[in-house]
Amino acid sequence: MTTNTCKGCTRNVIIKREEIEHILSKHKGDEQLIVSNDVYHLRLDTCKACSSLMYGTTCSYSGCLVEYRAKFTNKKCPSPNGSKW
């Protein structure tokens, strides 16, 4: 019997700081899409206190990196109980 393994399960789920910074650096210059540093840090603090944060980087509701999602003006917290930010 063959078992299928999802691609996400074959990678290391722990994302290094350098990888996150590289992903975020691709959006420098898109200032109208980016929240202020104060808003960004408030969002991250909320995510870090959330029981749905996995591996210190990933939201279990959306599968997104919280440091990425929190950066954009058009993104919201994906909690099914209502956005926390």
Side-chain angles (χ1 to χ4, degrees):
M1 174 156 67
T2 303
T3 303
N4 291 329
T5 304
C6 73
K7 291 178 184 176
C9 294
T10 61
R11 290 191 53 193
N12 184 354
V13 294
I14 306 300
I15 310 270
K16 295 179 184 175
R17 163 89 2 234
E18 295 83 25
E19 291 177 83
I20 293 171
E21 288 175 8
H22 176 72
I23 292 167
L24 291 175
S25 73
K26 292 180 180 182
H27 295 284
K28 289 190 180 186
D30 293 339
E31 299 306 320
Q32 63 194 84
L33 301 176
I34 306 295
V35 298
S36 70
N37 280 335
D38 289 340
V39 170
Y40 177 64
H41 290 291
L42 285 172
R43 288 178 172 191
L44 284 183
D45 289 345
T46 301
C47 291
K48 288 176 184 176
C50 183
S51 62
S52 298
L53 182 66
M54 301 184 319
Y55 316 113
T57 58
T58 307
C59 176
S60 66
Y61 294 122
S62 67
C64 289
L65 293 172
V66 295
E67 290 187 48
Y68 182 83
R69 188 178 193 94
K71 199 76 164 160
F72 295 94
T73 57
N74 64 339
K75 301 289 185 187
K76 294 181 181 175
C77 165
S79 173
N81 300 321
S83 180
K84 296 179 181 181
W85 45 260

